[in-house]
Amino acid sequence: MRKWTYNFGLGRSEGSASDSALLGAKGANLAELGSLGLPVPPGMTIIADACTWFHEHECHFPDTLLDQVAKGLNQIEESTGKRFGAAHNPLFLSVRPGTRVPVPGMTGTVLNIGLNDQTVQALAKETGDVDFAWSTYRRFIATFADLAMGLDHAVFEELLEEKSGKSAIANNPGLSVEQWRQVIEAGKAIVLDEMGETFPQDPQEQLWAVIAAAFKSWTAPRAEAYRKLHSIPVDWGTAVNIQAMVFGNRNGNSMTGNAITRNPKTGASGVTGTFLPRAQGYELSTGDRAPHQISERGRKEAERTEMSLEAMLPEAYETLEEMTQKLERHYRDVVELEFTVDDGYFWILESRLARCDIRARMRSAVDMVHEGLINREEALTRIDPLELEQLLHPAIDPSVEREVIGTGLPASPGAAAGEIVFNAEDAVHAAKEGRRVILVRSETSPEDVYGMHAAEGVLTSRGGLTSHAAVVARGMGIPCVAGAGAVRIDAEAGTMTSMGVTLKKGDHITIDGSVGQIIRGQTQMVQPELAGDFAKLMEWSDAVRRMGVRTNADTSTEARVARKFGAEGIGLCRTEHMFFEENRINVVREMILAEDEDGRRQSLEKLLPMQRSDFIELFEIMHGLPVTIRLLDPPLHEFLPKVDSDVAEMAERMGLGEEELRRRIEAMHEFNPMLGHRGCRLAISYPEIAEMQARAIFEAAVEAAKSTGAPVVPEIMVPLVSLRRELDYVKARIEQVADDVAKETGVFLNYLVGTMIELPRAAFRGQEIAQAAEFFSFGTNDLTQTVFGISRDDAGGFLTTYRQKGIIEKDPFVSLDYEGVGEIIKLASERGRAGRHDLKLGICGEHAGDPASIHFCEATGLDYISCSPYRVPVARLAAAQATIYEGATPKAAVY
Ligand code: PEP
Ligand code: MG
């Protein structure tokens, strides 16, 4: 015979915590609590498959279920010494549906099943409290009518108020039995009038109606919509938990509360939580009464005057402490629980792993290692790496109210406040005067970078998570909210409008780049804290992880920040980003727009010392750690002058007429610059550019090795290769320069030449390309673009629609598409290593800072990941977790 019900409670349970597919999360947890000998009110769980059976059989119950519930009830009756439906000493029940994963829209809990005209009197007699018994009965009728019959609770209360006066609604209004009877009769009449059915007096009928309602709510429209959205199969069904009632509102020795084994904000040990005397669970969330603190310490910290449980009922408090310790030892994690004290007797109604702030999670994980409860690896898996990022930046003080006036994409984390400015010049000007500003633009381009440097944060109305603003802000470590489509910016008029609020230049806003919010006014901040538990967890991560963690850094500021966060080298220096500064961009423009090689060489002469000094600084900061420098890879549209004033300035600099300059700009126009004359294509057209860069790198390496005493092994990276011959051509130029510099300086350097894998053809030809390359670095931004055929600049808009319509789960520019892009990475890695067995493999696209993508990198056997500076701690922890989950040997890779 099919087993439909599992009993639990009083030291014996038929299920356990691992049975959530069968018993639902709640049922599995109750079973576990029961077997631990913790005081859960005895009960049984109807398994989730019964729900499926019910729906497959036109909402009938299997006969065998009826029998088993009856037997289960007998057991509950035996353990409690009460009988369901008896006129004397009756048993009352609660029924709660329990799904495997949370599904909003399921029916709620029904308490006090079994109350009727007879049993209410027994309850009144047993408790000696008429008001308690009858008001409980009244509430039961209302809840039953709502959840089992479909009569809206609010409508019921309104009608009852009309029929029997306001006093009927209050909790213990001091009515006589006769008056109570009238209230109840009025309630029953409302049910009959509104629903055409009588409120059932038979406890069995009540029970089965509530079970049926729980099953039906699984297929009700709200739950169904949620299940579909989250791909939760209908045949998972919902389990149903039936439990003996305990009353937190019985008398002065009764209460209901929530407790958590450690402080959920700080992680400090010692039970915390709140309770309400003489109350049932639902009252905790209404906020009608001020909750009491559980411990005296908590009361003092919260500066409350209401008596604590510790002071009120010291014995119950002691029991609670014992139980929370037992639960923590059992689950080896921070646990929260819901409890009821019924006439001095302590019951646990539910427990689950606690939701804590990141600071509390870190502290409790570290403390539990020291307490011998968990080991270091377990501690590392307790932390969500992405949550670490909020610790690295100033954040909005959590206790402060936010006036949110708009939202956009959380493009670069952290929060910043300042005056609104609408262009880079104003940002720089204000910063010089010591004022803090937020740069607000429809989108940013290289001309804005010096303004971004001066600003505290950036807000754009257009662009996605890999837009210029997003990538540059992340690199700089300043907050950015991008693509806030509803914000209207009128830069000419100096205003921005969002959600009906118009702000002007100089007004204050705050942006929260961690969640993508735009907030009116200047908001209070809290500063980052990198020592203590954070440092400990980082140290443990480093001891565990196999992959190296480098950073993408183009400036000395970024390189220093990344070192502070533990980067083990630079995996990508985008040299074109080194030319964004105002005095350099014009030299680069001169070079790009030069008519011939001579003209280009003149500009390159000017760029060489700038590049060399920048590289020296990077090498010195990295002090012998590997540094990968990528040859110039500028999508041309990002560099050509756009606005009239820039064209005029350039024409003057170059001694050309504006018309002539416009002709040259026009000649360079590309329809699709991301797939245009960029990457190694530029170095092939104009090898003198690559030669200048190679010279700057080698000369800088010689210098830095002298100044630091640490040998530098530069890694020169050739971008956007698809053919081996492209790489051969550029590599030959680099080697020639290396020889020249060696002869000139008398220093023979070790260096590597490698390539980015950003194009499918390069991946497919990995074996032959690896014969010319000493390393591959997967440029997954471009690789995603080229594998999907989706432009990284234009994807923001429609990918959001794709997500909303369930066509994709995650933005592939944020989290690696394992199935397509990932497959190509695997293939290129295998073919690359077949071409060169010690080929070094890394990744430097934005994905290298995404924990799910980092797991993929571990599984694929990459040697290192390289991410933006503020993602370095995230990557260190995620790489450690990936090593733990993949079972790899720590630190096996040489990178
Ligand atoms: C990439 O394409 O992944 C990459 C790192 O290069 P960029 O973003 O500069 O094109
Ligand atoms: Mg690229």
Side-chain angles (χ1 to χ4, degrees):
M1 191 180 47
R2 183 84 197 256
K3 181 166 172 56
W4 296 110
T5 60
Y6 283 66
N7 297 331
F8 58 80
L10 302 178
R12 273 180 303 122
S13 293
E14 292 178 313
S16 74
S18 56
D19 291 324
S20 63
L22 191 71
L23 305 175
K26 240 179 218 155
N29 205 260
L30 284 165
E32 188 82 4
L33 293 175
S35 4
L36 285 174
L38 289 166
V40 283
M44 72 185 115
T45 302
I46 301 177
I47 64 169
D49 279 353
C51 175
T52 310
W53 197 100
F54 177 83
H55 286 292
E56 283 169 358
H57 294 81
E58 292 167 356
C59 298
H60 286 103
F61 297 108
D63 287 344
T64 42
L65 173 66
L66 305 183
D67 293 345
Q68 291 176 28
V69 168
K71 286 207 184 87
L73 260 180
N74 284 342
Q75 283 206 13
I76 303 174
E77 287 173 341
E78 262 171 44
S79 3
T80 55
K82 296 172 184 285
R83 280 211 14 254
F84 190 49
H88 300 288
N89 201 15
L91 169 71
F92 300 107
L93 298 172
S94 70
V95 168
R96 297 174 170 83
T99 47
R100 195 188 303 193
V101 293
V103 176
M106 296 290 297
T107 186
T109 303
V110 182
L111 301 177
N112 306 311
I113 297 170
L115 268 171
N116 59 20
D117 294 351
Q118 240 188 353
T119 53
V120 69
Q121 294 180 47
L123 184 63
K125 202 157 141 208
E126 177 195 324
T127 58
D129 188 339
V130 166
D131 272 335
F132 163 70
W134 286 86
S135 64
T136 306
Y137 185 24
R138 189 202 67 75
R139 189 174 296 281
F140 170 55
I141 296 174
T143 314
F144 184 91
D146 182 355
L147 300 183
M149 301 175 87
L151 171 58
D152 185 339
H153 212 287
V155 173
F156 179 89
E157 297 293 350
E158 253 171 49
L159 291 171
L160 190 64
E161 214 170 298
E162 262 171 41
K163 280 206 171 201
S164 47
K166 195 151 184 72
S167 60
I169 311 308
N171 221 5
N172 292 322
L175 304 186
S176 68
V177 172
E178 206 31 60
Q179 285 169 314
W180 268 120
R181 261 193 230 289
Q182 282 167 19
V183 170
I184 294 298
E185 288 312 315
K188 288 198 264 184
I190 292 164
V191 174
L192 186 61
D193 287 353
E194 296 293 315
M195 308 310 293
E197 282 174 59
T198 47
F199 165 76
Q201 286 290 310
D202 176 5
Q204 286 289 345
E205 203 182 315
Q206 294 171 359
L207 175 64
W208 287 102
V210 174
I211 297 171
F215 284 167
K216 283 180 188 162
S217 71
W218 177 250
T219 54
R222 251 190 82 199
E224 190 167 79
Y226 183 88
R227 280 194 285 100
K228 284 202 172 134
L229 196 65
H230 292 85
S231 313
I232 299 171
V234 65
D235 65 3
W236 277 13
T238 180
V240 173
N241 302 295
I242 305 171
Q243 247 179 317
M245 272 303 297
V246 288
F247 294 97
N249 55 350
R250 186 190 295 273
N251 55 28
N253 271 347
S254 308
M255 66 192 61
T256 292
N258 292 311
I260 179 158
T261 54
R262 300 187 188 216
N263 187 310
K265 291 228 173 301
T266 65
S269 50
V271 61
T272 58
T274 54
F275 69 99
L276 282 178
R278 248 192 141 132
Q280 281 192 326
Y282 63 89
E283 287 168 79
L284 286 174
S285 51
T286 61
D288 292 346
R289 291 158 62 193
H292 296 228
Q293 292 290 321
I294 286 178
S295 67
E296 266 304 285
R297 188 176 24 83
R299 186 187 65 74
K300 284 181 195 142
E301 274 168 19
E303 297 174 3
R304 305 296 311 185
T305 49
E306 296 87 6
M307 231 178 159
S308 69
L309 175 66
E310 192 174 358
M312 234 164 115
L313 288 175
E315 268 175 39
Y317 176 76
E318 235 171 74
T319 315
L320 177 63
E321 270 199 321
E322 263 168 44
M323 285 179 196
T324 52
Q325 277 169 23
K326 189 164 185 176
L327 276 169
E328 259 206 1
R329 276 198 303 277
H330 181 69
Y331 285 108
R332 298 154 68 244
D333 205 340
V334 185
V335 178
E336 60 186 52
L337 58 118
E338 219 178 288
F339 66 89
T340 282
V341 179
D342 182 346
D343 195 21
Y345 200 86
F346 203 97
W347 296 98
I348 299 184
L349 299 188
E350 207 182 314
S351 82
R352 64 183 99 81
L353 296 186
R355 285 172 294 246
C356 298
D357 284 2
I358 175 67
R359 283 184 178 77
R361 288 213 75 73
M362 291 198 309
R363 172 153 177 199
S364 58
V366 171
D367 283 355
M368 283 185 186
V369 171
H370 294 140
E371 290 161 21
L373 220 51
I374 57 175
N375 63 29
R376 290 178 180 189
E377 294 194 353
E378 282 172 297
L380 293 176
T381 59
R382 297 273 165 93
I383 312 294
D384 176 353
L386 283 176
E387 280 195 63
L388 289 181
E389 214 178 341
Q390 37 177 294
L391 301 172
L392 312 178
H393 301 272
I396 294 177
D397 184 338
S399 61
V400 165
E401 205 54 47
R402 301 177 179 205
E403 187 186 345
V404 177
I405 56 161
T407 55
L409 298 170
S412 179
E419 292 173 26
I420 298 170
V421 291
F422 292 102
N423 60 53
E425 289 85 59
D426 286 352
V428 172
H429 182 71
K432 278 192 187 135
E433 290 181 354
R435 290 182 283 130
R436 294 169 182 276
V437 293
I438 302 292
L439 179 61
V440 179
R441 307 274 300 153
S442 54
E443 60 192 338
T444 64
S445 66
E447 285 118 331
D448 295 315
V449 171
Y450 75 109
M452 292 173 78
H453 270 298
E456 302 295 313
V458 180
L459 166 64
T460 66
S461 56
R462 289 218 298 266
L465 290 172
T466 53
S467 64
H468 179 269
V471 171
V472 174
R474 278 201 291 278
M476 288 179 182
I478 59 170
C480 173
V481 174
V487 175
R488 280 200 320 282
I489 298 169
D490 186 342
E492 296 272 294
T495 60
M496 62 170 265
T497 305
S498 183
M499 283 169 60
V501 178
T502 298
L503 299 173
K504 37 184 210 319
K505 181 181 160 192
D507 287 346
H508 282 95
I509 52 167
T510 302
I511 56 168
D512 187 339
S514 305
V515 292
Q517 283 179 350
I518 308 158
I519 296 141
R520 190 178 194 165
Q522 241 167 334
T523 318
Q524 189 77 24
M525 303 282 171
V526 287
Q527 293 307 313
E529 167 58 86
L530 302 182
D533 304 317
F534 175 86
K536 187 69 28 205
L537 286 163
M538 285 294 109
E539 183 193 318
W540 293 348
S541 298
D542 294 347
V544 164
R545 69 186 154 83
R546 183 192 63 83
M547 289 190 293
V549 176
R550 299 194 194 176
T551 189
N552 295 353
D554 323 314
T555 63
S556 53
T557 314
E558 286 171 8
R560 279 198 192 91
V561 169
R563 277 298 292 141
K564 189 176 81 187
F565 291 150
E568 297 162 311
I570 293 178
L572 171 64
C573 168
R574 291 174 163 107
T575 49
E576 61 280 4
H577 286 196
M578 301 172 123
F579 298 124
F580 281 158
E581 277 172 35
E582 201 184 9
N583 60 342
R584 294 186 179 188
I585 193 159
N586 286 333
V587 186
V588 175
R589 283 176 173 159
E590 267 174 45
M591 177 193 77
I592 292 173
L593 290 163
E595 182 74 333
D596 51 24
E597 191 181 323
D598 265 358
R600 253 187 320 277
R601 284 196 184 275
Q602 278 175 26
S603 313
L604 289 168
E605 288 277 299
K606 293 186 211 160
L607 288 174
L608 175 67
M610 301 180 192
Q611 286 258 275
R612 190 172 43 223
S613 66
D614 282 353
F615 294 148
I616 290 175
E617 216 179 347
L618 290 185
F619 289 143
E620 284 178 347
I621 295 165
M622 287 295 149
H623 208 92
L625 291 170
V627 176
T628 309
I629 295 171
R630 179 176 77 183
L631 299 183
L632 208 61
D633 178 15
L636 284 183
H637 68 301
E638 286 189 6
F639 280 84
L640 292 173
K642 288 189 200 79
V643 290
D644 288 349
S645 56
D646 284 348
V647 175
E649 191 189 335
M650 274 315 294
E652 203 184 319
R653 275 182 77 98
M654 295 177 73
L656 293 172
E658 274 189 46
E659 275 315 300
E660 168 59 10
L661 188 68
R662 276 189 210 284
R663 190 191 58 73
R664 289 190 195 176
I665 295 172
E666 187 53 36
M668 292 192 152
H669 171 79
E670 291 177 316
F671 285 105
N672 200 337
M674 270 295 179
L675 299 178
H677 196 188
R678 61 178 281 221
C680 67
R681 297 161 198 171
L682 203 69
I684 290 166
S685 306
Y686 312 127
E688 55 279 10
I689 300 178
E691 286 164 6
M692 180 282 286
Q693 292 202 289
R695 174 170 285 277
I697 294 168
F698 293 131
E699 290 179 353
V702 172
E703 270 303 303
K706 269 194 229 149
S707 63
T708 61
V712 177
V713 182
E715 301 182 356
I716 301 177
M717 182 151 78
V718 182
L720 219 73
V721 159
S722 54
L723 300 157
R724 168 161 178 189
R725 282 205 208 128
E726 290 173 323
L727 180 58
D728 286 341
Y729 181 91
V730 181
K731 192 177 171 187
R733 298 291 170 292
I734 296 168
E735 285 171 345
Q736 181 58 53
V737 176
D739 285 350
D740 293 348
V741 173
K743 278 186 206 126
E744 290 159 25
T745 60
V747 181
F748 288 83
L749 281 173
N750 273 331
Y751 66 95
L752 306 181
V753 177
T755 183
M756 295 192 73
I757 302 289
E758 301 175 278
L759 298 171
R761 191 181 192 285
F764 289 125
R765 304 304 298 168
Q767 185 165 347
E768 62 170 342
I769 289 179
Q771 284 156 7
E774 286 158 296
F775 62 89
F776 282 178
S777 180
F778 290 99
T780 44
N781 302 333
D782 276 315
L783 195 57
T784 302
Q785 168 170 262
T786 50
V787 168
F788 271 90
I790 289 178
S791 154
R792 30 196 287 210
D793 287 341
D794 301 323
F798 63 86
L799 284 186
T800 310
T801 313
Y802 269 39
R803 273 221 312 283
Q804 283 161 351
K805 298 202 166 176
I807 291 173
I808 54 168
E809 242 174 68
K810 292 180 183 169
D811 182 339
F813 286 103
V814 175
S815 201
L816 198 75
D817 158 49
Y818 283 20
E819 292 158 358
V821 181
E823 199 60 27
I824 284 196
I825 292 176
K826 259 198 233 157
L827 177 140
S829 305
E830 282 160 19
R831 292 189 180 174
R833 286 208 163 128
R836 180 188 292 265
H837 76 276
D838 60 350
L839 181 74
K840 235 197 294 191
L841 295 173
I843 174 175
C844 62
E846 291 300 304
H847 304 87
D850 167 63
S853 313
I854 291 171
H855 279 252
F856 172 86
C857 297
E858 174 66 53
T860 311
L862 300 194
D863 298 311
Y864 68 89
I865 51 188
S866 184
C867 55
S868 58
Y870 280 84
R871 279 282 162 112
V872 166
V874 174
R876 285 162 77 190
L877 175 59
Q881 291 179 347
T883 306
I884 294 166
Y885 291 130
E886 295 292 329
T889 320
K891 291 281 183 191
V894 179
Y895 53 87

